[in-house]
Amino acid sequence: MYPQLSDEELMELLKADDHLALENLFNRYYKTLCQLSAVYTKDFEIAEEIVANLFMKIWDGRYEANVQNVKSYLSVSVRNASLNHTQKAKAPVHSIDEVAHQLNEVQDHNTPLNIITRRESYNRIISLIDTLPPSQREVVLMSHVDNLNKHEIAQTLNISVRTVETTLYQSVKKLRSLLKDSYNSAASN
């Protein structure tokens, strides 16, 4: 085994068909990646499957791989695969009565005016979030869109919880100011 080798050296050995290099990477990151995936999927078995699939893809694409930062690559890949999985997962329909009940609920809350108003507000907020610096934007989206807590964000981004708190505080403060300015300019028109 190669416990002393760096991630990048292990990736180079993968290109030479060294299955022990893959095994080392797997052992080094498996638990952390499963935990990360489970944050998004809320199911540890699915998380394990996502991580296993990622390592199979790494093995299959080992000749073309040009990864500079293995840890970041693995984290981002698992996060994306987990988000893709949760977006594809749909709740099963158990009965026609359940569907009818859900439609009545949707019709009660989703008048055309409500839908348009929410969509405009959402688009305005997203466009303001896009003006934030990349690090702030990422933390805000993970917190308010992905619904991750500050500990999960810190673990995912490999930063301290205090950094997450400070970044969120600064981001929300800036967004409030931008929203206030945006509404004031819209009201004056």
Side-chain angles (χ1 to χ4, degrees):
M1 298 253 252
Y2 312 114
Q4 73 282 4
L5 295 181
S6 71
D7 296 342
E8 289 70 25
E9 290 170 320
L10 291 172
M11 289 299 289
E12 286 304 314
L13 288 173
L14 275 176
K15 291 180 181 181
D17 292 332
D18 190 334
H19 68 279
L20 289 176
L22 181 69
E23 188 176 331
N24 272 269
L25 282 172
F26 183 85
N27 291 334
R28 201 174 279 179
Y29 291 109
Y30 180 75
K31 183 178 178 183
T32 305
L33 293 173
C34 285
Q35 290 170 341
L36 172 63
S37 180
V39 167
Y40 295 99
T41 63
K42 310 291 188 243
D43 186 329
F44 201 76
E45 287 182 18
I46 291 172
E48 288 178 317
E49 185 177 322
I50 288 170
V51 173
N53 286 340
L54 172 62
F55 279 98
M56 285 190 286
K57 286 180 185 174
I58 289 172
W59 180 256
D60 291 342
R62 65 191 175 277
Y63 302 118
E64 297 85 30
N66 188 15
V67 178
Q68 302 300 320
N69 185 331
V70 175
K71 186 175 183 179
S72 285
Y73 171 79
L74 293 172
S75 296
V76 169
S77 297
V78 164
R79 178 180 181 266
N80 290 342
S82 300
L83 288 172
N84 288 342
H85 174 81
T86 56
Q87 289 173 354
K88 289 179 185 174
K90 295 181 180 177
V93 176
H94 297 292
S95 70
I96 292 176
D97 293 334
E98 184 180 325
V99 172
H101 177 71
Q102 289 173 352
L103 284 175
N104 286 336
E105 283 184 10
V106 168
Q107 290 171 352
D108 291 344
H109 300 292
N110 288 333
T111 65
L113 180 60
N114 287 343
I115 292 170
I116 291 170
T117 304
R118 277 196 311 266
R119 186 176 298 143
E120 286 176 358
S121 296
Y122 176 81
N123 288 339
R124 181 179 294 146
I125 291 169
I126 292 298
S127 68
L128 292 175
I129 288 173
D130 285 342
T131 66
L132 294 173
S135 60
Q136 287 183 350
R137 183 178 334 121
E138 185 173 30
V139 170
V140 167
L141 291 173
M142 291 176 87
S143 174
H144 296 288
V145 175
D146 296 338
N147 294 319
L148 299 179
N149 67 41
K150 58 188 174 189
H151 297 287
E152 295 167 331
I153 295 169
Q155 183 180 16
T156 302
L157 298 177
N158 200 23
I159 59 177
S160 71
V161 173
R162 184 69 183 140
T163 302
V164 173
E165 291 170 343
T166 303
T167 304
L168 273 174
Y169 174 78
Q170 292 169 343
S171 304
V172 170
K173 184 177 177 182
K174 184 170 184 173
L175 284 173
R176 281 186 182 139
S177 173
L178 290 170
L179 274 171
K180 184 178 177 185
D181 294 345
S182 172
Y183 284 118
N184 287 341
S185 69
S188 65
N189 288 336

